[in-house]
Amino acid sequence: MKKSLVKLFALFMAIFTLSSCEDMEQLAGEMDITIGKSTYHIPTAVFYSNGNNTFITGTNIKQSVALKVKDIAVGKKTLGLGNNVLSAIGNLDNISSMENTLVYIPSSGIEKDGMTALYGTITITKVTSTLIEGTFEGGGVKTSLLDDLSSLESLLDAGDVIEEFSGTFKAYGVTNE
C-alpha cells in the first residue's frame, strides 16, 4: 500500500505543478475528517484508480488522509474489518488484506500518532471518470497498535483505544485501466 500512496502523492504534486491557479479548482477537491472531537479541513484531495483499486488522498501539510477502495461504485461498503467493533475483532486475522481502508497521518508521523480504520463504512455518492464524492465513518486505532494483534485484541476488549472518525470527500483524479 505504501508504493500506491507514494504514486498518488507524486500524481498530486504533478497536477499541482503543471496547473494554473484557475485550473486547480477543477483538479483538486477537498476533504474533511473528524477524529474524536477534532475536525481537520484538507483543501486538496485527489484520486487514482487502476480499475481494481481506487486510492483517494488529501493533505493540508499538517494532516493527510488516504483511502483505498476496491471496485469503486456508488453505494455503501465496509471500511476496515467490519461494520462494528465486534465484527472487526472477529476478523483481526485479515488485517493485512483489508479491501477498503482509511489511514490518517498527522505531521508527527504514522508510526507515532497515525490512525488506521478498524471498522466502519464508506459511502460513495458520485463517481465519474474524473470525480469521486462520498462520506466515511467508523472507528480506528493507532497504527502502532497493529503490530501486535494479540495485544490489540485485548485492548479492544477493554474498549478504550478506539477513536471514532467521520468525514466527507470530493476528489478529482484519473482512472487508468
Side-chain angles (χ1 to χ4, degrees):
M1 186 165 140
K2 286 184 181 181
K3 279 186 176 181
S4 298
L5 291 176
V6 170
K7 286 181 184 177
L8 193 54
F9 280 120
L11 172 66
F12 170 73
M13 292 308 296
I15 289 171
F16 184 77
T17 56
L18 297 174
S19 301
S20 65
C21 290
E22 61 264 2
D23 292 337
M24 282 303 294
E25 188 175 307
Q26 293 300 312
L27 294 176
E30 63 183 356
M31 187 180 297
D32 289 303
I33 186 168
T34 300
I35 301 173
K37 294 181 180 178
S38 300
T39 299
Y40 308 103
H41 178 68
I42 297 175
T44 55
V46 296
F47 80 88
Y48 169 78
S49 181
N50 64 12
N52 294 321
N53 293 301
T54 299
F55 303 92
I56 303 163
T57 188
T59 189
N60 67 5
I61 307 303
K62 291 182 180 181
Q63 291 90 20
S64 298
V65 176
L67 290 136
K68 176 187 150 225
V69 182
K70 184 172 175 67
D71 302 324
I72 198 84
V74 171
K76 187 180 274 191
K77 294 178 174 270
T78 299
L79 191 58
L81 296 172
N83 291 323
N84 56 50
V85 69
L86 293 176
S87 61
I89 290 172
N91 288 316
L92 281 177
D93 290 340
N94 299 325
I95 202 154
S96 63
S97 61
M98 290 186 285
E99 289 187 342
N100 306 311
T101 191
L102 175 144
V103 177
Y104 166 75
I105 307 163
S107 59
S108 58
I110 192 168
E111 295 86 11
K112 182 177 180 189
D113 296 315
M115 182 197 71
T116 298
L118 191 61
Y119 65 86
T121 58
I122 181 167
T123 304
I124 307 296
T125 56
K126 184 174 185 176
V127 176
T128 71
S129 62
T130 59
L131 172 70
I132 300 173
E133 292 182 24
T135 63
F136 50 85
E137 63 183 357
V141 296
K142 286 200 181 285
T143 305
S144 60
L145 296 175
L146 299 179
D147 291 337
D148 184 4
L149 293 182
S150 61
S151 67
L152 177 58
E153 188 170 356
S154 62
L155 289 170
L156 289 173
D157 286 338
D160 49 343
V161 297
I162 296 175
E163 293 223 57
E164 297 294 319
F165 65 85
S166 63
T168 62
F169 62 91
K170 177 179 183 179
Y172 290 94
V174 295
T175 300
N176 186 14
E177 295 183 47

